[in-house]
Amino acid sequence: MDLMKALTSQYMKQELPEVNIGDTVRVHVKIKEGARERIQVFEGTVIAKKHGGIEESITVRRVSYGVGCEKVFPLHAPNVVDVECVRHGKVRRAKLYYLRDRMGKAAKIKEKV
């Protein structure tokens, strides 16, 4: 087990922001298009956190033009450049999958004071 931990520790990022369920985050992702590289920003609400260590990932959901879009981001992946927290939400659940059925004000999350 220590061999596995030593092997994965070199690929883990040192500086990760404190991201919790219900937070609104802005994820900067490196996109390769042919020979060019650019950074694309995906902003939404964290509805799930899974695993831990090197496999840690977050599911981010946003609604644009009335269509919900969810993306899963592995936090320690090299193509995830930055994760910044825009606002902290106050929720009482570990998974916010119920937001998939709600639209508009019903899908609003209170802000943590």
Side-chain angles (χ1 to χ4, degrees):
M1 199 62 186
D2 292 329
L3 178 67
M4 192 69 167
K5 196 176 284 188
L7 189 68
T8 58
S9 66
Q10 63 185 355
Y11 296 108
M12 290 179 66
K13 293 180 181 173
Q14 301 300 323
E15 294 295 320
L16 278 181
E18 190 66 34
V19 176
N20 292 316
I21 312 298
D23 292 354
T24 303
V25 293
R26 195 174 288 138
V27 184
H28 300 262
V29 185
K30 197 182 300 181
I31 304 288
K32 286 186 75 171
E33 294 171 334
R36 295 175 45 196
E37 277 191 1
R38 65 184 177 90
I39 293 178
Q40 188 177 51
V41 179
F42 188 86
E43 184 173 342
T45 306
V46 178
I47 64 168
K49 272 178 82 172
K50 290 190 177 181
H51 311 298
I54 194 83
E55 306 90 37
E56 186 175 359
S57 64
I58 58 172
T59 304
V60 181
R61 175 180 177 82
R62 85 162 168 213
V63 179
S64 57
Y65 300 106
V67 179
C69 178
E70 292 183 10
K71 285 190 177 183
V72 179
F73 296 103
L75 290 179
H76 296 284
N79 63 337
V80 175
V81 178
D82 187 30
V83 178
E84 59 179 277
C85 188
V86 177
R87 63 188 284 265
H88 296 284
K90 180 185 177 193
V91 292
R92 298 174 65 173
R93 299 280 178 272
K95 304 283 190 277
L96 303 181
Y97 296 143
Y98 64 89
L99 291 179
R100 293 173 177 165
D101 302 328
R102 299 185 182 188
M103 295 296 288
K105 284 191 176 180
K108 195 185 282 189
I109 295 175
K110 292 181 183 176
E111 189 164 4
K112 194 182 288 185
V113 187

